Amino acid sequence: MPVKLIQNTASAYAYPLLIKQLLHTPLAIAPDQEISYQGKLRYSYRSLRERFGRLASGLASLGVEAGNTVAVMDWDSHRYLECFFAVPMMGAVLQTVNVRLSAEQILYTLNHARADVLLVNRDFFPLLALIAARLESVTHFVLIDDEQTPVDGPVSFAAEYENLLAGAKADFIFEDFDENAQATVFYTTGTTGLPKGVYFSHRQLVLHTLGVATCVGSSRVHGRLHREDVYMPMTPMFHVHAWGFPYVATLLGLKQVYPGRYMPGTLLQLIDKEKVTFSHCVPSIMQMLFNHPSCDLIDLSRWKVLIGGSAMSQTLANAALKRGIDVLTGYGMSETCPVLSIAHLDSDDLQSSHDQQALLRCKTGLPLPLVDLRIVTSEMVDVAHDGKATGEVVVRAPWLTQGYLAAPQASEELWLGGYLHSQDIGNIDARGYLKITDRIKDVIKTAGEWTSSLQLEDVVGKHEAVHEVAVIGVPDEKWGERPLALVVLKPDFEGKVTEQVIRHFAAHLVETTGISRHGVLLQVRFVKALEKTSVGKINKRAMRETNERLMLRDQDV
């Protein structure tokens, strides 16, 4: 529609929303704040800004220009933080490579994104050796090595990272450009077909940073992130920008601790020694820490942890609360940059019992500022906000990917009807709390009705012998599908508890709580481990395929 635009004074600064603008506040209020790598290397925000300039100058000396793609294969480190800023600030595109994909999938993502320069940690030499000869666009390799020792690698390296910075000037001029310029690209974990590339602009990343900072800073007590916090990621930096929190932490001028490769003992030691107060992770990482022998020797009562990626069970939430951890759930997807909602509790909720709190802490939360989130039918009609009516989560926000890289048909399907389709099923209660009840592809269709696999997982997980559980739908001649719980027992209960015991326990809870009348059809199978994706999420597609193979094998016997 015709509107009246504001007048622009010739000398006025338009202030494009570029990633470099996030640095004004920390450099003004916290220039001496600390960045730490594994508790061994430390430097200030003032030095961080200088290293941004050196990295950009070094990359420019290798021929990197605006629009080129710089790919990174590294663990969570200060180097990765420097790449988060310096690469997009110079107008190039940062590709965060998922190092837990297979060699063939990594090769596909690097070629598909047309990576020009690859920064690679020596730990990934075996992967690099498998793909180097087939990389189509990479012209230079940069070695990442904590020890900075001479090494024979599978490729010829143009430089070693620290030497590259040492020989470069810090006064690189980060010029202004269009805020809609692409800043990053990364690939979904590929549970269905080839990984899909999602991409984000400077404007989107800045607005996501502001939205997340506003949300986590506006809670009165629960899960509140403030300038005195100490931040350490436990979600890989290659995965959706570590949920965007390195940008948030830098904007706020927080002390930041980067742990390198995730080892439970190291993570716990850093939480203790560096006084970490805010982290984020998937449920399996939290469970891994709880299982470590040193966990109960460390005071975790000052620690706030945002859980996402997979549903947090009430059992895990209660285990965290008993240790004094302020745990809460967030929700988002690779396609959404990712954070859409966070489950903050108000002051009254925090006075209730741990069991009551766990119910809310495990919900998927309240939408962030600027997020338009709906639960709709297949006809895009909104369902009632009564905590019962379910539908698909669709969303609009200023930081959602505008499509999949070079995949127009999949992009149109993602944005069908002008809303981004999550493929998640959920409900919203009268207070506005979102609760994801399942993925569309994971919901169990029994006798024409939907049964939530996540709700059944909560039920089974309440048994004291259960370490991990995933519920999938399996074919059934009478019911169409029936639920199957794949259960990993705690070591102390192996050989002492039967599948029948777990099934009867779950059936009793299903009947008394009224979760699903078809939940009583649940079958139980003990397994040694649950199949997971490269970022630690439960991989139910793989589990269903494994179950199909077992069924075919049994038919052949």
Side-chain angles (χ1 to χ4, degrees):
M1 72 174 67
V3 294
K4 185 176 181 178
L5 300 179
I6 63 170
Q7 290 185 341
N8 294 321
T9 301
S11 299
Y13 181 57
Y15 206 98
L17 296 181
L18 300 173
I19 287 172
K20 70 176 184 178
Q21 315 288 22
L22 300 176
L23 298 175
H24 294 305
T25 298
L27 291 174
I29 68 171
D32 297 318
Q33 184 59 276
E34 194 173 74
I35 308 291
S36 171
Y37 175 53
Q38 295 184 328
K40 302 172 184 176
L41 174 69
R42 302 177 191 276
Y43 58 77
S44 68
Y45 272 63
R46 191 180 285 108
S47 297
L48 177 68
R49 172 60 183 84
E50 178 184 309
R51 287 173 67 86
F52 290 165
R54 292 186 182 278
L55 177 55
S57 294
L59 290 173
S61 73
L62 298 180
V64 174
E65 301 175 340
N68 288 162
T69 296
V70 177
V72 179
M73 296 175 66
D74 195 11
W75 305 115
D76 287 11
S77 70
H78 60 298
R79 298 174 295 255
Y80 227 138
L81 179 65
E82 291 159 9
C83 291
F84 265 39
F85 282 86
V87 172
M89 281 166 55
M90 65 186 296
V93 177
L94 172 66
Q95 181 185 359
T96 58
V97 180
N98 184 342
V99 296
R100 294 175 183 161
L101 294 176
S102 69
E104 292 302 313
Q105 287 176 315
I106 290 174
L107 175 67
Y108 170 80
T109 64
L110 288 167
N111 286 340
H112 191 259
R114 307 305 297 171
D116 297 285
V117 174
L118 176 59
L119 283 62
V120 58
N121 190 303
R122 67 181 299 173
D123 287 354
F124 306 119
F125 279 6
L127 277 172
L128 184 59
L130 294 172
I131 66 174
R134 293 179 288 159
L135 289 170
E136 298 171 353
S137 55
V138 175
T139 58
H140 293 291
F141 298 88
V142 175
L143 171 65
I144 293 173
D145 183 8
D146 282 353
E147 304 302 325
Q148 295 180 252
T149 54
V151 61
D152 292 325
V155 298
S156 175
F157 288 99
E160 183 275 328
Y161 186 91
E162 288 299 333
N163 290 335
L164 180 69
L165 269 63
K169 294 183 178 180
D171 59 356
F172 187 93
I173 298 174
F174 293 108
E175 298 180 0
D176 282 356
F177 45 81
D178 192 315
E179 64 184 19
N180 293 302
Q182 184 179 341
T184 63
V185 64
F186 59 87
Y187 285 74
T188 59
T189 52
T191 56
T192 55
L194 290 170
K196 297 186 182 74
V198 292
Y199 48 88
F200 297 93
S201 70
H202 282 254
R203 180 178 186 273
Q204 289 176 312
L205 288 171
V206 170
L207 289 174
H208 180 266
T209 301
L210 296 175
V212 173
T214 301
C215 178
V216 295
S218 59
S219 175
R220 184 166 182 259
V221 178
H222 178 222
R224 182 168 175 258
L225 182 66
H226 54 77
R227 286 176 176 162
E228 295 181 14
D229 273 314
V230 178
Y231 165 70
M232 185 178 78
M234 297 196 312
T235 306
M237 297 179 80
F238 65 70
H239 183 55
V240 206
H241 320 113
W243 298 355
F245 277 93
Y247 289 121
V248 176
T250 301
L251 170 69
L252 298 178
L254 306 188
K255 176 181 175 180
Q256 301 183 53
V257 180
Y258 288 89
R261 187 174 187 175
Y262 292 170
M263 306 294 287
T266 300
L267 292 173
L268 288 166
Q269 183 182 46
L270 289 171
I271 292 167
D272 184 37
K273 301 298 183 184
E274 300 292 329
K275 309 301 181 188
V276 173
T277 59
F278 192 95
S279 298
H280 46 81
C281 65
V282 296
S284 59
I285 294 290
M286 178 71 83
Q287 190 65 63
M288 178 180 72
L289 296 185
F290 288 170
N291 293 340
H292 194 271
S294 68
C295 184
D296 292 332
L297 304 177
I298 294 174
D299 178 12
L300 299 175
S301 62
R302 64 178 177 271
W303 198 28
K304 295 166 281 191
V305 184
L306 181 68
I307 299 292
S310 299
M312 176 170 64
S313 68
Q314 293 175 35
T315 302
L316 183 61
N318 275 313
L321 291 172
K322 288 177 182 177
R323 289 173 167 84
I325 301 170
D326 185 9
V327 68
L328 65 162
T329 299
Y331 169 66
M333 312 158 52
S334 295
E335 292 83 347
T336 63
C337 198
V339 186
L340 297 173
S341 65
I342 294 178
H344 283 121
L345 276 60
D346 61 29
S347 299
D348 290 339
D349 295 323
L350 294 173
Q351 302 304 312
S352 59
S353 69
H354 282 180
D355 285 343
Q356 291 174 313
Q357 286 186 41
L359 291 171
L360 273 180
R361 290 176 187 260
C362 291
K363 288 203 170 189
T364 331
L366 301 168
L368 266 63
L370 304 181
V371 172
D372 172 18
L373 190 149
R374 300 167 58 198
I375 305 289
V376 299
T377 66
S378 57
E379 290 78 31
M380 291 293 287
V381 176
D382 290 275
V383 306
H385 289 190
D386 58 5
K388 297 178 182 177
T390 61
E392 185 187 5
V393 178
V394 297
V395 64
R396 286 174 173 169
W399 49 75
L400 311 184
T401 189
Q402 295 298 288
Y404 293 117
L405 188 64
Q409 182 176 344
S411 299
E412 287 296 336
E413 292 171 359
L414 178 70
W415 277 99
L416 186 65
Y419 276 82
L420 188 146
H421 287 254
S422 70
Q423 299 292 308
D424 286 324
I425 298 169
N427 61 60
I428 296 177
D429 66 18
R431 296 175 60 184
Y433 280 89
L434 170 69
K435 173 70 175 179
I436 300 300
T437 57
D438 227 326
R439 293 284 289 167
I440 288 177
K441 61 187 179 183
D442 292 336
V443 71
I444 301 164
K445 303 172 185 69
T446 305
E449 296 183 15
W450 285 2
T451 298
S452 168
S453 66
L454 299 183
Q455 288 180 325
L456 291 178
E457 286 166 9
D458 262 340
V459 167
V460 176
K462 286 182 168 63
H463 194 284
E464 62 177 352
V466 174
H467 171 55
E468 283 188 301
V469 58
V471 174
I472 61 173
V474 297
D476 185 272
E477 290 186 6
K478 179 177 180 180
W479 302 103
E481 279 189 323
R482 67 187 301 166
L484 169 66
L486 302 172
V487 173
V488 179
L489 291 176
K490 295 175 182 175
D492 292 345
F493 288 89
E494 291 181 4
K496 300 177 183 178
V497 175
T498 66
E499 295 169 343
Q500 194 76 353
V501 167
I502 303 294
R503 194 186 75 78
H504 286 161
F505 171 85
H508 174 71
L509 277 185
V510 167
E511 288 179 337
T512 54
T513 57
I515 287 175
S516 165
R517 63 187 182 130
H518 296 302
V520 295
L521 299 174
L522 180 76
Q523 297 173 313
V524 175
R525 180 191 300 155
F526 291 161
V527 294
K528 292 294 183 183
L530 299 181
E531 294 175 273
K532 295 175 182 176
T533 69
S534 60
V535 292
K537 297 180 183 180
I538 300 298
N539 192 341
K540 293 187 178 181
R541 176 176 176 266
M543 293 176 190
R544 287 190 291 268
E545 291 175 350
T546 298
N547 185 71
E548 289 174 7
R549 288 194 296 271
L550 291 174
M551 291 176 65
L552 289 173
R553 185 193 66 185
D554 292 343
Q555 290 172 7
D556 293 338
V557 174

PDB file of all heavy atoms in Angstrom, residues 94-121:
ATOM      1  N   LEU A  94      29.836 -17.565   6.403  1.00  0.00           N
ATOM      2  CA  LEU A  94      30.394 -18.589   7.285  1.00  0.00           C
ATOM      3  C   LEU A  94      29.591 -19.881   7.146  1.00  0.00           C
ATOM      4  O   LEU A  94      28.374 -19.878   7.380  1.00  0.00           O
ATOM      5  CB  LEU A  94      30.361 -18.117   8.743  1.00  0.00           C
ATOM      6  CG  LEU A  94      30.750 -19.166   9.794  1.00  0.00           C
ATOM      7  CD1 LEU A  94      32.222 -19.548   9.654  1.00  0.00           C
ATOM      8  CD2 LEU A  94      30.458 -18.657  11.206  1.00  0.00           C
ATOM      9  N   GLN A  95      30.261 -20.971   6.781  1.00  0.00           N
ATOM     10  CA  GLN A  95      29.629 -22.294   6.783  1.00  0.00           C
ATOM     11  C   GLN A  95      30.116 -23.061   7.987  1.00  0.00           C
ATOM     12  O   GLN A  95      31.312 -23.366   8.098  1.00  0.00           O
ATOM     13  CB  GLN A  95      29.931 -23.082   5.513  1.00  0.00           C
ATOM     14  CG  GLN A  95      29.253 -24.464   5.517  1.00  0.00           C
ATOM     15  CD  GLN A  95      29.611 -25.326   4.328  1.00  0.00           C
ATOM     16  OE1 GLN A  95      30.361 -24.905   3.449  1.00  0.00           O
ATOM     17  NE2 GLN A  95      29.076 -26.541   4.298  1.00  0.00           N
ATOM     18  N   THR A  96      29.224 -23.374   8.899  1.00  0.00           N
ATOM     19  CA  THR A  96      29.573 -24.178  10.070  1.00  0.00           C
ATOM     20  C   THR A  96      29.317 -25.640   9.719  1.00  0.00           C
ATOM     21  O   THR A  96      28.182 -26.057   9.540  1.00  0.00           O
ATOM     22  CB  THR A  96      28.750 -23.747  11.291  1.00  0.00           C
ATOM     23  OG1 THR A  96      27.350 -23.862  10.996  1.00  0.00           O
ATOM     24  CG2 THR A  96      29.054 -22.298  11.660  1.00  0.00           C
ATOM     25  N   VAL A  97      30.383 -26.406   9.622  1.00  0.00           N
ATOM     26  CA  VAL A  97      30.303 -27.782   9.130  1.00  0.00           C
ATOM     27  C   VAL A  97      29.986 -28.731  10.277  1.00  0.00           C
ATOM     28  O   VAL A  97      30.682 -28.746  11.303  1.00  0.00           O
ATOM     29  CB  VAL A  97      31.633 -28.202   8.465  1.00  0.00           C
ATOM     30  CG1 VAL A  97      31.541 -29.638   7.949  1.00  0.00           C
ATOM     31  CG2 VAL A  97      31.976 -27.240   7.328  1.00  0.00           C
ATOM     32  N   ASN A  98      28.954 -29.523  10.093  1.00  0.00           N
ATOM     33  CA  ASN A  98      28.579 -30.526  11.087  1.00  0.00           C
ATOM     34  C   ASN A  98      29.570 -31.688  11.016  1.00  0.00           C
ATOM     35  O   ASN A  98      29.472 -32.552  10.146  1.00  0.00           O
ATOM     36  CB  ASN A  98      27.155 -31.018  10.832  1.00  0.00           C
ATOM     37  CG  ASN A  98      26.671 -31.988  11.895  1.00  0.00           C
ATOM     38  OD1 ASN A  98      27.456 -32.563  12.648  1.00  0.00           O
ATOM     39  ND2 ASN A  98      25.368 -32.182  11.964  1.00  0.00           N
ATOM     40  N   VAL A  99      30.511 -31.710  11.939  1.00  0.00           N
ATOM     41  CA  VAL A  99      31.604 -32.698  11.888  1.00  0.00           C
ATOM     42  C   VAL A  99      31.149 -34.092  12.319  1.00  0.00           C
ATOM     43  O   VAL A  99      31.935 -35.040  12.240  1.00  0.00           O
ATOM     44  CB  VAL A  99      32.787 -32.241  12.775  1.00  0.00           C
ATOM     45  CG1 VAL A  99      33.386 -30.954  12.232  1.00  0.00           C
ATOM     46  CG2 VAL A  99      32.356 -32.058  14.230  1.00  0.00           C
ATOM     47  N   ARG A 100      29.905 -34.213  12.751  1.00  0.00           N
ATOM     48  CA  ARG A 100      29.404 -35.530  13.147  1.00  0.00           C
ATOM     49  C   ARG A 100      28.627 -36.221  12.033  1.00  0.00           C
ATOM     50  O   ARG A 100      28.135 -37.333  12.221  1.00  0.00           O
ATOM     51  CB  ARG A 100      28.538 -35.399  14.400  1.00  0.00           C
ATOM     52  CG  ARG A 100      29.346 -34.966  15.628  1.00  0.00           C
ATOM     53  CD  ARG A 100      28.459 -34.733  16.811  1.00  0.00           C
ATOM     54  NE  ARG A 100      29.230 -34.247  17.960  1.00  0.00           N
ATOM     55  CZ  ARG A 100      28.691 -33.626  18.997  1.00  0.00           C
ATOM     56  NH1 ARG A 100      27.391 -33.410  19.037  1.00  0.00           N
ATOM     57  NH2 ARG A 100      29.446 -33.213  19.998  1.00  0.00           N
ATOM     58  N   LEU A 101      28.505 -35.574  10.897  1.00  0.00           N
ATOM     59  CA  LEU A 101      27.941 -36.241   9.737  1.00  0.00           C
ATOM     60  C   LEU A 101      28.950 -37.243   9.182  1.00  0.00           C
ATOM     61  O   LEU A 101      30.128 -37.219   9.537  1.00  0.00           O
ATOM     62  CB  LEU A 101      27.581 -35.220   8.661  1.00  0.00           C
ATOM     63  CG  LEU A 101      26.459 -34.216   8.978  1.00  0.00           C
ATOM     64  CD1 LEU A 101      26.311 -33.230   7.824  1.00  0.00           C
ATOM     65  CD2 LEU A 101      25.140 -34.924   9.251  1.00  0.00           C
ATOM     66  N   SER A 102      28.483 -38.086   8.296  1.00  0.00           N
ATOM     67  CA  SER A 102      29.400 -39.013   7.631  1.00  0.00           C
ATOM     68  C   SER A 102      30.307 -38.234   6.678  1.00  0.00           C
ATOM     69  O   SER A 102      30.011 -37.091   6.298  1.00  0.00           O
ATOM     70  CB  SER A 102      28.609 -40.060   6.849  1.00  0.00           C
ATOM     71  OG  SER A 102      27.955 -39.446   5.736  1.00  0.00           O
ATOM     72  N   ALA A 103      31.407 -38.846   6.273  1.00  0.00           N
ATOM     73  CA  ALA A 103      32.329 -38.188   5.343  1.00  0.00           C
ATOM     74  C   ALA A 103      31.618 -37.802   4.048  1.00  0.00           C
ATOM     75  O   ALA A 103      31.825 -36.704   3.512  1.00  0.00           O
ATOM     76  CB  ALA A 103      33.512 -39.105   5.052  1.00  0.00           C
ATOM     77  N   GLU A 104      30.755 -38.683   3.542  1.00  0.00           N
ATOM     78  CA  GLU A 104      30.046 -38.395   2.296  1.00  0.00           C
ATOM     79  C   GLU A 104      29.079 -37.223   2.462  1.00  0.00           C
ATOM     80  O   GLU A 104      28.918 -36.397   1.551  1.00  0.00           O
ATOM     81  CB  GLU A 104      29.305 -39.640   1.803  1.00  0.00           C
ATOM     82  CG  GLU A 104      30.217 -40.767   1.353  1.00  0.00           C
ATOM     83  CD  GLU A 104      31.150 -40.332   0.234  1.00  0.00           C
ATOM     84  OE1 GLU A 104      30.674 -39.701  -0.736  1.00  0.00           O
ATOM     85  OE2 GLU A 104      32.360 -40.609   0.339  1.00  0.00           O
ATOM     86  N   GLN A 105      28.429 -37.135   3.614  1.00  0.00           N
ATOM     87  CA  GLN A 105      27.513 -36.022   3.849  1.00  0.00           C
ATOM     88  C   GLN A 105      28.274 -34.704   4.005  1.00  0.00           C
ATOM     89  O   GLN A 105      27.826 -33.664   3.510  1.00  0.00           O
ATOM     90  CB  GLN A 105      26.667 -36.296   5.092  1.00  0.00           C
ATOM     91  CG  GLN A 105      25.605 -37.364   4.899  1.00  0.00           C
ATOM     92  CD  GLN A 105      24.864 -37.674   6.190  1.00  0.00           C
ATOM     93  OE1 GLN A 105      25.480 -37.821   7.251  1.00  0.00           O
ATOM     94  NE2 GLN A 105      23.553 -37.787   6.116  1.00  0.00           N
ATOM     95  N   ILE A 106      29.422 -34.749   4.683  1.00  0.00           N
ATOM     96  CA  ILE A 106      30.245 -33.539   4.809  1.00  0.00           C
ATOM     97  C   ILE A 106      30.713 -33.089   3.426  1.00  0.00           C
ATOM     98  O   ILE A 106      30.669 -31.893   3.099  1.00  0.00           O
ATOM     99  CB  ILE A 106      31.443 -33.799   5.742  1.00  0.00           C
ATOM    100  CG1 ILE A 106      30.950 -33.957   7.189  1.00  0.00           C
ATOM    101  CG2 ILE A 106      32.451 -32.661   5.656  1.00  0.00           C
ATOM    102  CD1 ILE A 106      32.033 -34.357   8.165  1.00  0.00           C
ATOM    103  N   LEU A 107      31.164 -34.024   2.611  1.00  0.00           N
ATOM    104  CA  LEU A 107      31.571 -33.699   1.236  1.00  0.00           C
ATOM    105  C   LEU A 107      30.422 -33.037   0.489  1.00  0.00           C
ATOM    106  O   LEU A 107      30.618 -32.004  -0.183  1.00  0.00           O
ATOM    107  CB  LEU A 107      32.004 -34.971   0.513  1.00  0.00           C
ATOM    108  CG  LEU A 107      32.337 -34.812  -0.975  1.00  0.00           C
ATOM    109  CD1 LEU A 107      33.596 -33.971  -1.153  1.00  0.00           C
ATOM    110  CD2 LEU A 107      32.503 -36.189  -1.629  1.00  0.00           C
ATOM    111  N   TYR A 108      29.243 -33.590   0.617  1.00  0.00           N
ATOM    112  CA  TYR A 108      28.069 -33.029  -0.067  1.00  0.00           C
ATOM    113  C   TYR A 108      27.817 -31.594   0.377  1.00  0.00           C
ATOM    114  O   TYR A 108      27.595 -30.700  -0.462  1.00  0.00           O
ATOM    115  CB  TYR A 108      26.832 -33.891   0.202  1.00  0.00           C
ATOM    116  CG  TYR A 108      25.552 -33.243  -0.277  1.00  0.00           C
ATOM    117  CD1 TYR A 108      25.187 -33.302  -1.623  1.00  0.00           C
ATOM    118  CD2 TYR A 108      24.731 -32.542   0.608  1.00  0.00           C
ATOM    119  CE1 TYR A 108      24.024 -32.685  -2.071  1.00  0.00           C
ATOM    120  CE2 TYR A 108      23.575 -31.924   0.168  1.00  0.00           C
ATOM    121  CZ  TYR A 108      23.225 -31.989  -1.176  1.00  0.00           C
ATOM    122  OH  TYR A 108      22.082 -31.366  -1.606  1.00  0.00           O
ATOM    123  N   THR A 109      27.858 -31.337   1.693  1.00  0.00           N
ATOM    124  CA  THR A 109      27.538 -29.991   2.185  1.00  0.00           C
ATOM    125  C   THR A 109      28.592 -28.970   1.736  1.00  0.00           C
ATOM    126  O   THR A 109      28.251 -27.843   1.370  1.00  0.00           O
ATOM    127  CB  THR A 109      27.412 -29.969   3.720  1.00  0.00           C
ATOM    128  OG1 THR A 109      28.666 -30.296   4.336  1.00  0.00           O
ATOM    129  CG2 THR A 109      26.352 -30.948   4.193  1.00  0.00           C
ATOM    130  N   LEU A 110      29.878 -29.350   1.748  1.00  0.00           N
ATOM    131  CA  LEU A 110      30.924 -28.422   1.327  1.00  0.00           C
ATOM    132  C   LEU A 110      30.819 -28.101  -0.160  1.00  0.00           C
ATOM    133  O   LEU A 110      30.975 -26.945  -0.582  1.00  0.00           O
ATOM    134  CB  LEU A 110      32.300 -28.995   1.653  1.00  0.00           C
ATOM    135  CG  LEU A 110      32.677 -29.023   3.144  1.00  0.00           C
ATOM    136  CD1 LEU A 110      33.902 -29.886   3.378  1.00  0.00           C
ATOM    137  CD2 LEU A 110      32.925 -27.604   3.660  1.00  0.00           C
ATOM    138  N   ASN A 111      30.530 -29.105  -0.965  1.00  0.00           N
ATOM    139  CA  ASN A 111      30.388 -28.874  -2.401  1.00  0.00           C
ATOM    140  C   ASN A 111      29.102 -28.102  -2.705  1.00  0.00           C
ATOM    141  O   ASN A 111      29.085 -27.222  -3.575  1.00  0.00           O
ATOM    142  CB  ASN A 111      30.403 -30.201  -3.156  1.00  0.00           C
ATOM    143  CG  ASN A 111      31.790 -30.807  -3.235  1.00  0.00           C
ATOM    144  OD1 ASN A 111      32.799 -30.114  -3.069  1.00  0.00           O
ATOM    145  ND2 ASN A 111      31.860 -32.110  -3.470  1.00  0.00           N
ATOM    146  N   HIS A 112      28.038 -28.445  -2.007  1.00  0.00           N
ATOM    147  CA  HIS A 112      26.748 -27.793  -2.259  1.00  0.00           C
ATOM    148  C   HIS A 112      26.807 -26.314  -1.891  1.00  0.00           C
ATOM    149  O   HIS A 112      26.222 -25.462  -2.574  1.00  0.00           O
ATOM    150  CB  HIS A 112      25.650 -28.505  -1.460  1.00  0.00           C
ATOM    151  CG  HIS A 112      24.260 -28.097  -1.843  1.00  0.00           C
ATOM    152  ND1 HIS A 112      23.516 -27.213  -1.103  1.00  0.00           N
ATOM    153  CD2 HIS A 112      23.477 -28.469  -2.891  1.00  0.00           C
ATOM    154  CE1 HIS A 112      22.332 -27.043  -1.672  1.00  0.00           C
ATOM    155  NE2 HIS A 112      22.289 -27.793  -2.757  1.00  0.00           N
ATOM    156  N   ALA A 113      27.508 -25.979  -0.806  1.00  0.00           N
ATOM    157  CA  ALA A 113      27.630 -24.587  -0.363  1.00  0.00           C
ATOM    158  C   ALA A 113      28.716 -23.833  -1.124  1.00  0.00           C
ATOM    159  O   ALA A 113      28.860 -22.622  -0.952  1.00  0.00           O
ATOM    160  CB  ALA A 113      27.929 -24.539   1.134  1.00  0.00           C
ATOM    161  N   ARG A 114      29.484 -24.547  -1.954  1.00  0.00           N
ATOM    162  CA  ARG A 114      30.578 -23.944  -2.738  1.00  0.00           C
ATOM    163  C   ARG A 114      31.593 -23.271  -1.830  1.00  0.00           C
ATOM    164  O   ARG A 114      31.978 -22.102  -2.020  1.00  0.00           O
ATOM    165  CB  ARG A 114      30.043 -22.946  -3.770  1.00  0.00           C
ATOM    166  CG  ARG A 114      28.951 -23.481  -4.688  1.00  0.00           C
ATOM    167  CD  ARG A 114      29.352 -24.741  -5.409  1.00  0.00           C
ATOM    168  NE  ARG A 114      30.511 -24.514  -6.312  1.00  0.00           N
ATOM    169  CZ  ARG A 114      31.148 -25.494  -6.923  1.00  0.00           C
ATOM    170  NH1 ARG A 114      30.802 -26.769  -6.714  1.00  0.00           N
ATOM    171  NH2 ARG A 114      32.172 -25.217  -7.721  1.00  0.00           N
ATOM    172  N   ALA A 115      32.065 -23.990  -0.810  1.00  0.00           N
ATOM    173  CA  ALA A 115      33.052 -23.449   0.127  1.00  0.00           C
ATOM    174  C   ALA A 115      34.343 -23.115  -0.606  1.00  0.00           C
ATOM    175  O   ALA A 115      34.841 -23.904  -1.420  1.00  0.00           O
ATOM    176  CB  ALA A 115      33.319 -24.451   1.235  1.00  0.00           C
ATOM    177  N   ASP A 116      34.907 -21.926  -0.323  1.00  0.00           N
ATOM    178  CA  ASP A 116      36.138 -21.479  -0.962  1.00  0.00           C
ATOM    179  C   ASP A 116      37.373 -21.768  -0.106  1.00  0.00           C
ATOM    180  O   ASP A 116      38.435 -22.109  -0.626  1.00  0.00           O
ATOM    181  CB  ASP A 116      36.062 -19.971  -1.231  1.00  0.00           C
ATOM    182  CG  ASP A 116      34.955 -19.619  -2.196  1.00  0.00           C
ATOM    183  OD1 ASP A 116      35.127 -19.861  -3.407  1.00  0.00           O
ATOM    184  OD2 ASP A 116      33.897 -19.121  -1.751  1.00  0.00           O
ATOM    185  N   VAL A 117      37.236 -21.582   1.199  1.00  0.00           N
ATOM    186  CA  VAL A 117      38.335 -21.819   2.143  1.00  0.00           C
ATOM    187  C   VAL A 117      37.809 -22.711   3.248  1.00  0.00           C
ATOM    188  O   VAL A 117      36.676 -22.526   3.718  1.00  0.00           O
ATOM    189  CB  VAL A 117      38.876 -20.493   2.717  1.00  0.00           C
ATOM    190  CG1 VAL A 117      39.906 -20.759   3.808  1.00  0.00           C
ATOM    191  CG2 VAL A 117      39.487 -19.649   1.610  1.00  0.00           C
ATOM    192  N   LEU A 118      38.629 -23.673   3.683  1.00  0.00           N
ATOM    193  CA  LEU A 118      38.230 -24.592   4.746  1.00  0.00           C
ATOM    194  C   LEU A 118      39.230 -24.516   5.883  1.00  0.00           C
ATOM    195  O   LEU A 118      40.417 -24.795   5.706  1.00  0.00           O
ATOM    196  CB  LEU A 118      38.140 -26.028   4.213  1.00  0.00           C
ATOM    197  CG  LEU A 118      37.814 -27.128   5.234  1.00  0.00           C
ATOM    198  CD1 LEU A 118      36.472 -26.864   5.905  1.00  0.00           C
ATOM    199  CD2 LEU A 118      37.803 -28.504   4.563  1.00  0.00           C
ATOM    200  N   LEU A 119      38.741 -24.114   7.075  1.00  0.00           N
ATOM    201  CA  LEU A 119      39.530 -24.147   8.303  1.00  0.00           C
ATOM    202  C   LEU A 119      39.227 -25.470   8.991  1.00  0.00           C
ATOM    203  O   LEU A 119      38.057 -25.761   9.285  1.00  0.00           O
ATOM    204  CB  LEU A 119      39.151 -22.980   9.231  1.00  0.00           C
ATOM    205  CG  LEU A 119      39.692 -21.582   8.898  1.00  0.00           C
ATOM    206  CD1 LEU A 119      39.180 -21.096   7.539  1.00  0.00           C
ATOM    207  CD2 LEU A 119      39.299 -20.584   9.985  1.00  0.00           C
ATOM    208  N   VAL A 120      40.257 -26.274   9.273  1.00  0.00           N
ATOM    209  CA  VAL A 120      39.996 -27.627   9.757  1.00  0.00           C
ATOM    210  C   VAL A 120      40.924 -27.992  10.907  1.00  0.00           C
ATOM    211  O   VAL A 120      42.143 -27.812  10.824  1.00  0.00           O
ATOM    212  CB  VAL A 120      40.096 -28.652   8.603  1.00  0.00           C
ATOM    213  CG1 VAL A 120      41.455 -28.603   7.933  1.00  0.00           C
ATOM    214  CG2 VAL A 120      39.778 -30.054   9.074  1.00  0.00           C
ATOM    215  N   ASN A 121      40.342 -28.475  11.977  1.00  0.00           N
ATOM    216  CA  ASN A 121      41.083 -28.962  13.128  1.00  0.00           C
ATOM    217  C   ASN A 121      41.759 -30.286  12.768  1.00  0.00           C
ATOM    218  O   ASN A 121      41.166 -31.139  12.103  1.00  0.00           O
ATOM    219  CB  ASN A 121      40.116 -29.156  14.307  1.00  0.00           C
ATOM    220  CG  ASN A 121      40.814 -29.425  15.626  1.00  0.00           C
ATOM    221  OD1 ASN A 121      41.586 -30.367  15.755  1.00  0.00           O
ATOM    222  ND2 ASN A 121      40.529 -28.605  16.626  1.00  0.00           N
TER     223      ASN A 121
END
